[in-house]
Amino acid sequence: MAEPPFGLLAELTHRCPLRCGYCSNPLELVRRDAELSTAEWWDVFDQARELGVLQFHLSGGEPLARKDLPELVGHASGLGAYVNLVTSGLGLTAGRLAELAVDHVQLSVQDADPANADRIAGVKGFAHKPAAARVVKEAGLPLTVNVVLHRQNLDHLADIVALAEDMGADRLELANTQYYGWALRNQAALLPTRTQLRQAEDVVREAKSRSRMEIVYVIADYHEAHPKPCMHGWGARQLTVAPNGDVLPCPAATVIEGLGIENVKSRPLREIWHDSVSFNAFRGFDWMGEPCRGCPRREVDFGGCRCQAFQLTGNAANTDPVCSLSPHRGLVDLVLRRPAADALAPREVAR
Amino acid sequence: MSDLFTTPRLGKGVKTAYDQTRDSHVVLFPEGVLVLNETAAAVVGMCDGRTTIAQMAEKLAEDFDGVRVDDVAELVTRLIARRVVVTDG
Ligand code: SF4
Ligand code: SF4
């Protein structure tokens, strides 16, 4: 039997005041009337805690778009779990935060340059970010600033680090874009150049050596010879529940056709975690073919990303095509050679 | 390795809990979960910003066999690396 999960990513809603072109939410956004109710989320949290979940990441979309957020947070926190709020900061006032029994706040920042940040977000939102950070600090909570990196903000990385420092962040998470959902649609405008990545690595190295912040940098996998690890393996540590109650082995898993995704309204979470076809599809190592099967790196990267394998090769059980040992690596190189675009299409608004 | 007279305490935003599912004490922090064995749980419980590593080892020796102060120091060093525990200065 599989080990119990540690974390639940609860995507409470797809509604969001921002319209970031790099958003990894699926193209088909869940509408408000299809979202789980307050009581249904409570039940999901109860089941998740019972199953062994110790960390609840409340995310979206923008979780603050849920009017019942205080009740949802209160319930999760009452179960003795760690509650992490993942927010754009829009709407995060001292008054609202005071109602939320969270342990940690993750605040997204699009860029350090206000005009460019607003362009990336598709909305004038930048001005709210420093205020939101202040509110978190004044509440005495640990603050992580999250930045998704791409061609349109990588050149400002040093300023971004300085901004996070000014905001008083305890941690800074710099993650190169992963191409799912809206980000895949905008790939030509988001893919960085090698020069940008090389410079970014220098900035990160320098910042790590002197900053009091903990800095986490997630590489741009298209430009690497090996894929990024899939979580700690498929169905190993974490599960995601989408706004409509779909239970996903990974947040991007809706892209894999025929995966057999199940919903928490029709099957208990415990059964979905342990017994479902979707969670067992790529668990462990038995599903692997060559070159992963015999590769010593399989314990490190788990053969890479299943979603990426599906998106680029049409078969989710293939080696992640980012890997230099994959017979499909040419597909990634082809993408890298495509001409770049400037215009970002803002993601749609979920209603 | 940590100095035997440092007085570690839990980092900001770090919570401890008992997990029925795993039948273990756990430490919860922004980026993860640590499942603790009995001695580690006892050490984490003493990270109050007042108890020195040397005192921790002494206390532990009352309840467990074969406690070495170096092992306690090493454990604290590992907890510091994960930012679960901090020391001043
Ligand atoms: S399948 Fe891909 S997107 Fe999903 S968790 Fe694994 S690496 Fe991430
Ligand atoms: S062959 Fe598979 S396991 Fe080996 S490095 Fe490539 S993706 Fe990872």
Side-chain angles (χ1 to χ4, degrees), chain A residues 5 49 52 55 81-82 103 214, chain B residues 12-13 15 19 22 29-31:
Chain A
R49 182 65 197 88
Q55 280 191 317
Y82 196 86
D103 296 295
E214 178 180 4
Chain B
K12 187 166 157 195
K15 263 180 33 174
D19 179 29
R22 298 174 182 81
F29 54 112
E31 59 277 41

Side-chain angles (χ1 to χ4, degrees), chain A residues 226-227 288 291-292 295 297-298 301-304 319-320 323 325:
Chain A
H226 298 296
M288 286 180 176
C292 294
C295 178
R297 279 188 60 92
R298 66 180 209 176
D301 64 27
F302 308 96
T319 294
D320 188 329
C323 182
L325 301 173

Side-chain angles (χ1 to χ4, degrees), chain A residues 317-331:
Chain A
N318 277 339
T319 294
D320 188 329
V322 154
C323 182
S324 52
L325 301 173
S326 158
H328 297 105
R329 170 69 211 195
L331 296 170

Side-chain angles (χ1 to χ4, degrees), chain A residues 4-6 49-52 54-55 80-82 103-104 137 140-142 170-171 212-214, chain B residues 12-22 26 28-35 81-83:
Chain A
F6 284 103
R49 182 65 197 88
E50 173 88 359
L51 181 58
L54 289 161
Q55 280 191 317
Y82 196 86
D103 296 295
H104 173 225
K137 296 304 292 181
L141 291 169
D170 301 285
R171 296 176 73 237
R212 49 152 197 87
M213 297 185 294
E214 178 180 4
Chain B
K12 187 166 157 195
V14 176
K15 263 180 33 174
T16 57
Y18 185 76
D19 179 29
Q20 253 90 19
T21 311
R22 298 174 182 81
V26 291
L28 310 173
F29 54 112
E31 59 277 41
V33 175
L34 285 182
V35 180
R82 300 288 305 262
R83 299 206 178 204

